[in-house]
Amino acid sequence: QNGFKCHCMSESHQRQLLLASENPQQFMDYFSEEFRNDFLELLRRRFGTKRVHNNIVYNEYISHREHIHMNATQWETLTDFTKWLGREGLCKVDETPKGWYIQYIDRDPETIRRQQEQERKKKQDLDDEEKTAKFIEQQVRRGLEGKELEKPVYTELNRENEEEKVTFNLNKGASTSVAASSKTSSVLGQNALKMVEGTVKRKESAHSSGQPKEKKKKSALDEIMELEEEKKRTSRRDYWLQPEIVVKIVTKKLGEKYHKKKAVVKEVIDKYTAVVKVIDSGDKLKLDQTHLETVIPAPGKKVMVLNGGYRGNEGILESINEKRFSVTITIDSGPLKGRRVEDIQYEDVSKLA
C-alpha cells in the first residue's frame, strides 16, 4: 500500500512538473501574485500603516508553512521585492543604514473618507486660531488708541510784553504767577487758572472714561477666555482609541463574519492600533483605528469622550441631535463632574463597555 501511494504521488508530481515546464511563466505569475497578496495582507493586518523593517515582515511571513516562498516568485531578493512595492505605489519605502523600511498605504475608501474628514477638522481648527489671533490684535489696537487719547497736551507760556518781569511762587504743588504790572498779573493769573482747570478736567475725564474702559477690557478678556476655552474644547488629535469602549468593525477585508460587528477595545497599541474582542463570537482581532468607528448608545447610557478638550472624561448621554450628527452629555467624573457639554460629534464619543 505504501508503495502504491508513493507511486501515485510520484506520478502526480511528474504531471505537475510537466505542466510547469510547458508554461513556466504562468506558474511564476501565479506564485508571485499569491506571494504579493499574502505579504501585503500580513503587513496591513499586523503592522497597519506603521513604518517597519522589511525583514521583520518577511520573517513573520515565512514562519507560516503554507505561505509561498520567494524562490518561486519573479523577485530574486527581498530588496528587489521592496523596491517593486515602492514603484507600484503599494507601500512607502526608504533605505537606511540598517536596511530597507516599508510602510503600507491604505487605499480603502472608508479610510480615505476619514482622512479627508480629519483634514477638514484640522483646517477648521486653524481658522478658529486665526480668528482668535485677529480678535486679540483688534483688542490690543483699541487699547493703544485709548492710551494715545489720554496723553497730556502741553502748551507754551507766552507773555505779551518781554520787558515786564514775571515771578512764580510754588506752594505745595500749586503754581501761581505774579506779574510786575497788574495787567500782566491778571492775564497770567487767568492763564494759570485755565491751565489748572484744564488739568483737572483732563484728570476727571480720564477718571470718568477709565471706568467704561475698564469694563470694556473686562468684557474683552471674558471673550478671549471664552474663545480659549472653545479652542481647548475643539482641540483635536489624529488618534482616538481608548480601552473598554465599544466600537464597530467597518472594514470588509475580514469578510462578512466581522463586518459591522460590535467589539470591545481590550488594548491600545502605539495609539493607532487596537486589540478588540468581538462581542458575538468572542474572537480577538488586531485592527487599525481606520477600520473601526464609534458606537452611540441610547440616552442615559455611559459614554467616553475620545477627542477634543474633554478627551478621556466619562459622562452620561443626555440627547442625540441627528441633524448635526452630535450628542449632548453630562460629565460624571473628575473635576468637571456635572458640566453639561453640547454638540460633541459622533466620532468623538463612544459607548463604554
Side-chain angles (χ1 to χ4, degrees):
Q1 290 179 357
N2 290 336
F4 178 75
K5 289 181 180 179
C6 292
H7 176 72
C8 292
M9 292 177 64
S10 176
E11 289 183 353
S12 175
H13 182 63
Q14 289 178 359
R15 284 196 298 269
Q16 290 179 359
L17 291 176
L18 289 174
L19 292 174
S21 63
E22 291 177 359
N23 194 350
Q25 188 61 38
Q26 179 182 356
F27 281 87
M28 181 173 290
D29 293 342
Y30 171 77
F31 290 140
S32 299
E33 184 178 359
E34 287 292 318
F35 175 80
R36 179 200 64 190
N37 294 338
D38 293 342
F39 187 92
L40 289 176
E41 181 65 17
L42 174 65
L43 177 63
R44 181 187 65 82
R45 294 186 60 183
R46 177 68 176 82
F47 301 97
T49 56
K50 290 174 54 179
R51 181 173 173 268
V52 63
H53 200 286
N54 60 353
N55 267 328
I56 296 177
V57 185
Y58 183 70
N59 289 332
E60 187 166 341
Y61 172 84
I62 62 176
S63 64
H64 301 280
R65 296 181 60 184
E66 66 272 11
H67 283 171
I68 297 173
H69 201 274
M70 184 175 289
N71 292 340
T73 67
Q74 66 187 39
W75 302 284
E76 296 182 358
T77 62
L78 181 59
T79 301
D80 294 338
F81 178 62
T82 303
K83 293 179 179 179
W84 182 87
L85 290 176
R87 289 194 301 268
E88 294 295 322
L90 299 173
C91 295
K92 295 179 181 178
V93 300
D94 60 296
E95 186 180 11
T96 67
K98 295 182 179 181
W100 285 87
Y101 282 81
I102 57 178
Q103 184 176 0
Y104 180 72
I105 300 176
D106 196 344
R107 302 186 184 277
D108 185 62
E110 183 67 18
T111 303
I112 296 174
R113 185 191 68 79
R114 288 175 176 270
Q115 290 176 350
Q116 292 175 350
E117 184 70 15
Q118 290 177 359
E119 292 296 331
R120 183 184 66 81
K121 290 181 178 179
K122 286 182 181 179
K123 184 178 180 182
Q124 184 178 358
D125 293 341
L126 291 176
D127 294 340
D128 293 340
E129 292 179 359
E130 291 178 359
K131 290 179 182 178
T132 304
K134 289 182 180 179
F135 177 78
I136 296 175
E137 185 180 354
Q138 290 177 358
Q139 295 301 321
V140 172
R141 189 183 299 111
R142 289 177 184 176
L144 293 176
E145 290 176 356
K147 289 182 180 180
E148 290 177 358
L149 293 175
E150 293 177 0
K151 289 182 180 179
V153 179
Y154 300 98
T155 57
E156 295 181 359
L157 179 62
N158 298 325
R159 55 181 178 175
E160 298 177 355
N161 190 355
E162 296 181 356
E163 297 180 356
E164 295 179 352
K165 296 181 179 179
V166 180
T167 60
F168 296 91
N169 291 328
L170 304 177
N171 295 325
K172 295 181 180 180
S175 61
T176 57
S177 60
V178 179
S181 63
S182 59
K183 182 178 179 180
T184 306
S185 176
S186 62
V187 172
L188 293 176
Q190 293 176 359
N191 290 337
L193 182 61
K194 290 180 180 180
M195 290 175 64
V196 173
E197 291 177 353
T199 304
V200 173
K201 287 182 180 179
R202 283 196 298 272
K203 289 182 178 180
E204 290 177 353
S205 62
H207 180 70
S208 62
S209 62
Q211 293 180 351
K213 283 185 179 179
E214 186 178 357
K215 291 181 180 178
K216 188 173 183 181
K217 288 181 180 179
K218 286 184 178 179
S219 62
L221 182 60
D222 292 339
E223 293 181 12
I224 293 174
M225 290 177 64
E226 290 176 1
L227 287 174
E228 288 297 327
E229 186 176 354
E230 179 68 16
K231 177 183 174 183
K232 181 181 178 182
R233 187 177 70 84
T234 57
S235 62
R236 305 188 59 80
R237 300 174 183 174
D238 60 349
Y239 55 90
W240 54 269
L241 291 172
Q242 293 285 350
E244 298 304 320
I245 62 172
V246 180
V247 293
K248 183 186 291 185
I249 302 173
V250 295
T251 180
K252 296 181 180 179
K253 295 183 179 180
L254 301 178
E256 295 297 329
K257 180 181 178 181
Y258 300 114
H259 185 232
K260 296 295 183 181
K261 296 295 182 181
K262 293 182 181 179
V264 178
V265 177
K266 291 300 181 182
E267 182 184 357
V268 179
I269 304 173
D270 297 333
K271 299 180 182 180
Y272 301 94
T273 307
V275 177
V276 302
K277 183 178 181 181
V278 182
I279 296 177
D280 292 345
S281 61
D283 296 343
K284 286 190 176 181
L285 304 173
K286 188 175 183 181
L287 298 171
D288 188 80
Q289 68 174 11
T290 55
H291 298 151
L292 303 170
E293 69 177 18
T294 58
V295 174
I296 305 300
K301 299 293 185 179
K302 294 197 67 173
V303 295
M304 176 180 284
V305 182
L306 308 176
N307 221 330
Y310 300 102
R311 178 188 182 97
N313 286 283
E314 298 180 5
I316 303 298
L317 183 65
E318 298 291 341
S319 61
I320 301 174
N321 189 338
E322 296 181 357
K323 293 183 179 179
R324 294 178 59 84
F325 302 100
S326 63
V327 298
T328 299
I329 70 168
T330 299
I331 298 176
D332 67 343
S333 65
L336 301 177
K337 184 176 182 180
R339 175 173 292 188
R340 182 183 174 89
V341 185
E342 300 179 353
D343 202 24
I344 300 181
Q345 298 299 310
Y346 282 171
E347 59 267 24
D348 293 345
V349 66
S350 192
K351 178 181 178 182
L352 272 172

